[in-house]
Amino acid sequence: MKLIIGGQGKMGSLLKETAQNLGHTVLANVDTSNLDVLDTLESADMIVDFSHRDNLNWIIDYVNAHDCALVYGTTGLDADQKAQLVTLSKTHPVFFSANYSYGVAVFTEIMKVAVPMLKDSFDMELVETHHNQKADAPSGTAKAILEIMNPNGEFKEVYGRHGLIGPRQKEIGVHALRGGTEAGEHTVHFFGDNESITITHHATNRQIFVNGALKAAIWLEGKPAGLYGMPDLLGVNQA
């Protein structure tokens, strides 16, 4: 495939290197600082973006103009930007996930089973850890996990605690840790009476996200317009 990679940072560079090693052609790494390069390129089959939400507008414009597909993994989107991706998926194939790790995909499927069985008798807490350069908190993956834990908003979501907080209410604590070069860790604690369950996914290298994104790109090639995600890649959504 002929790819355009969004962003020129660490993830963009790793995506380019890995894609080329797999035999794909990377036309360019593009962000808002070098948009003029788009006019010099042949048409891409797909854009793969893990950069910054400020790049979303030119990405959508390019997908519409060149009728290509999109694999999108940038987090920190606002509601309007998420709606733009949904609109784009009505006319083009769009693969969107806050996390492209296979392990995290399995983690979320486990959560879909565990939460309904435990939420009424166990207290739930969510903790995520990332490197000290990550811009958004909580992480996009943590937000996706939280949606599984609290789909109907029946729990108050408490982001950190301090002061005289009193006894725990019907709530889910959400905690973001930042430091060093941590690639990413997500942990959900279920605290019951005299027992507890902890589910954790720990990433040791960003390469797992790159590998997952490129697997998604290969899977997406030739698919009809629609909004796809990791459950589709894992086959969970198959009838």
Side-chain angles (χ1 to χ4, degrees):
M1 283 185 292
K2 293 179 291 186
L3 305 176
I4 289 175
I5 306 297
Q8 301 182 69
K10 293 180 180 178
M11 283 296 290
S13 298
L14 194 54
L15 279 164
K16 178 181 179 179
E17 178 184 355
T18 306
Q20 290 175 331
N21 288 341
L22 291 173
H24 302 295
T25 300
V26 176
L27 301 177
N29 285 68
V30 182
D31 59 26
T32 54
S33 71
N34 67 334
L35 290 180
D36 55 330
V37 75
L38 292 174
D39 296 329
T40 69
L41 303 175
E42 57 182 309
S43 292
D45 300 311
M46 194 172 300
I47 295 178
V48 181
D49 181 75
F50 277 71
S51 57
H52 192 279
R53 67 182 191 177
D54 288 349
N55 287 312
L56 183 59
N57 287 338
W58 73 258
I59 289 171
I60 289 176
D61 289 344
Y62 187 95
V63 169
N64 283 321
H66 295 266
D67 197 27
C68 69
L70 172 63
V71 173
Y72 196 78
T74 297
T75 60
L77 302 182
D78 60 30
D80 181 63
Q81 289 171 318
K82 290 180 180 178
Q84 290 180 61
L85 284 177
V86 172
T87 298
L88 184 67
S89 72
K90 297 182 186 302
T91 54
H92 297 83
V94 175
F95 195 108
F96 175 71
S97 178
N99 191 306
Y100 280 81
S101 158
Y102 259 44
V104 166
V106 174
F107 180 108
T108 57
E109 294 304 318
I110 292 171
M111 289 296 296
K112 291 175 184 178
V113 176
V115 168
M117 293 189 291
L118 298 173
K119 67 182 181 68
D120 293 328
S121 54
F122 283 68
D123 295 324
M124 298 185 291
E125 296 280 303
L126 171 59
V127 183
E128 59 96 345
T129 304
H130 283 86
H131 54 87
N132 58 21
Q133 299 301 304
K134 186 167 179 60
D136 57 316
S139 67
T141 301
K143 291 178 181 177
I145 294 170
L146 188 58
E147 288 179 4
I148 297 171
M149 298 171 71
N150 195 27
N152 302 314
E154 61 181 297
F155 293 90
K156 180 181 179 181
E157 296 170 5
V158 179
Y159 293 84
R161 297 186 180 90
H162 67 276
L164 189 63
I165 60 172
R168 182 189 178 97
Q169 304 300 314
K170 189 172 183 179
E171 63 190 42
I172 298 173
V174 184
H175 313 277
L177 310 183
R178 294 289 178 268
T181 58
E182 284 292 314
E185 181 174 284
H186 295 85
T187 298
V188 176
H189 297 276
F190 296 94
F191 297 107
D193 290 334
N194 300 305
E195 61 179 335
S196 64
I197 299 171
T198 301
I199 303 174
T200 297
H201 176 271
H202 184 214
T204 58
N205 192 292
R206 295 180 183 181
Q207 186 69 48
I208 64 171
F209 309 123
V210 170
N211 293 345
L214 293 174
K215 285 180 181 179
I218 293 168
W219 181 90
L220 190 63
E221 187 177 16
K223 292 292 190 297
L227 185 62
Y228 304 97
M230 291 302 287
D232 299 292
L233 187 61
L234 294 177
V236 176
N237 287 342
Q238 292 180 358

